[in-house]
Amino acid sequence: MSELRERLTEIQFAVTQKDATEPAFNNEYWDNKEEGIYVEVVSGEPLFSSTDKFDSGSGWPSFTQPLESKNIVEKEDKSLGMVRVEVRSSKADSHLGHLFPDGPQPAGQRYCINSAALRFIPKDKLEKEGYGEFLNLFDQE
């Protein structure tokens, strides 16, 4: 845990390890429109793609589906006096955000994810960073 405290920023640690939520509209990726993938900040496991990102108006990055469902764990969350579906990473067990049933069709899902739990890898750096297998998601010129 001390290694993570040193490696992560204060907000990254609070979100991923203490289940905190970063401020809406005041986070790194809520309005990022660049092509690429989002990986988990602690483990590097691939989580979401810009091809599934949409503007939900919530102020947090929102996705219609995970890049690889095996890297996502859904848990019941009864905090704040309501029942929600918490989204965690499978390898690092980091808190990522929540899943809501108000996304666009056809699936109707909105993965509302904290930027602090993510690291964005632009399309042109996927190969270099070891995520070349995901290049096929994007139009190749």
Side-chain angles (χ1 to χ4, degrees):
M1 191 71 93
S2 64
E3 180 268 330
L4 279 180
R5 275 200 186 275
E6 291 173 22
R7 187 163 61 92
L8 301 177
T9 66
E10 190 174 321
I11 189 68
Q12 287 173 328
F13 187 84
V15 166
T16 61
Q17 306 306 303
K18 303 291 183 186
D19 303 343
T21 300
E22 67 195 358
F25 301 104
N26 187 18
N27 57 77
E28 191 170 5
Y29 303 125
W30 76 272
D31 63 349
N32 182 29
K33 294 176 179 44
E34 194 175 350
E35 287 186 312
I37 68 168
Y38 296 83
V39 301
E40 204 269 339
V41 72
V42 174
S43 68
E45 54 197 306
L47 299 175
F48 299 99
S49 168
S50 62
T51 59
D52 300 310
K53 189 172 187 281
F54 70 99
D55 182 1
S56 66
S58 68
W60 289 282
S62 296
F63 304 89
T64 57
Q65 64 185 357
L67 188 54
E68 294 195 357
S69 56
K70 69 179 185 197
N71 294 340
I72 298 286
V73 175
E74 297 173 10
K75 295 175 115 175
E76 185 175 75
D77 175 2
K78 292 183 178 179
S79 66
L80 304 179
M82 62 182 114
V83 178
R84 299 180 293 172
V85 177
E86 179 189 15
V87 180
R88 301 187 73 85
S89 65
S90 62
K91 288 182 188 161
D93 192 33
S94 294
H95 171 75
L96 304 174
H98 289 87
L99 174 60
F100 299 100
D102 60 1
Q105 294 304 316
Q109 297 188 105
R110 173 173 58 101
Y111 287 84
C112 186
I113 306 298
N114 289 282
S115 289
L118 303 172
R119 182 169 73 89
F120 179 71
I121 303 173
K123 174 178 77 171
D124 62 352
K125 294 198 169 122
L126 289 174
E127 193 75 53
K128 180 182 175 204
E129 297 233 10
Y131 297 94
E133 69 206 77
F134 298 108
L135 276 168
N136 64 341
L137 296 171
F138 309 101
D139 292 333
Q140 300 298 308
E141 291 147 26

